[in-house]
Amino acid sequence: MYGYNVLSSSYVNNYFVEKDGFLQVGDKTYNSFNLAVKDIEETGTIIVLNDGTVQDEPAIPEGKNITLDLNGKTLTTTRAFQNYGNFTVTDSSLSKTGIIDNIKSTGISNYNTLQVNGVTIKASANGIYGGKNAGTITISDSNIYGDTGIYID
């Protein structure tokens, strides 16, 4: 899948394919976005250590304050990030080359508070989707691409 060998033929449940230690929270590394989010009690930062692909729908639950630092890396997804908490997507690298690239769907679906700063979001559908009562979306120094860059209904 997407240039990597799948470790098994069974369903991949939000695991990055052949990317041990792909994400970092504090001193601990993860190969699953949702496990990294789960281990953050309330507020924390997930740093992307290497380019990679996630196969399931990453989610930020209500009550969590999560920062995703793309760190100059490309995160390829096949499902939208679902934000029900407070989600910040940023890039701490000097080059500001961090990308969320959703090849099948919307980049981020927002239902609470979303901040996007210094990154690129590419998607085959909407770059960012905000549903009814979507909360707040703040974008600065970023590029948003999709059939519709930002869609609010």
Side-chain angles (χ1 to χ4, degrees):
M1 290 183 200
Y2 311 110
Y4 300 109
N5 295 322
V6 176
L7 298 175
S8 74
S9 61
S10 63
Y11 177 74
V12 179
N13 185 16
N14 199 34
Y15 283 86
F16 293 93
V17 182
E18 286 192 2
K19 290 290 183 179
D20 292 335
F22 183 83
L23 303 170
Q24 183 175 5
V25 177
D27 294 333
K28 190 170 179 183
T29 58
Y30 299 84
N31 66 350
S32 165
F33 183 85
N34 285 344
L35 286 178
V37 169
K38 182 179 176 185
D39 281 356
I40 295 172
E41 287 187 34
E42 184 177 319
T43 300
T45 299
I46 300 170
I47 300 170
V48 179
L49 299 175
N50 298 298
D51 294 346
T53 302
V54 65
Q55 300 296 321
D56 204 356
E57 189 169 74
I60 297 83
E62 187 174 356
K64 296 262 182 157
N65 300 296
I66 304 296
T67 297
L68 176 62
D69 180 354
L70 294 173
N71 191 33
K73 308 298 188 250
T74 297
L75 180 60
T76 303
T77 64
T78 57
R79 299 268 188 97
F81 280 84
Q82 299 292 317
N83 177 42
Y84 298 96
N86 296 308
F87 188 36
T88 300
V89 183
T90 190
D91 184 352
S92 65
S93 73
L94 293 176
S95 62
K96 301 294 184 210
T97 54
I99 299 171
I100 291 177
D101 185 8
N102 191 313
I103 60 175
K104 291 190 176 184
S105 180
T106 294
I108 301 172
S109 292
N110 183 60
Y111 303 98
N112 199 331
T113 302
L114 173 65
Q115 295 181 42
V116 177
N117 183 15
V119 301
T120 297
I121 297 175
K122 298 190 300 185
S124 61
N126 305 307
I128 295 174
Y129 167 78
K132 293 179 180 166
N133 303 316
T136 304
I137 300 172
T138 305
I139 301 168
S140 61
D141 299 322
S142 297
N143 296 302
I144 313 297
Y145 302 100
D147 286 344
T148 303
I150 302 168
Y151 179 80
I152 307 293
D153 69 5

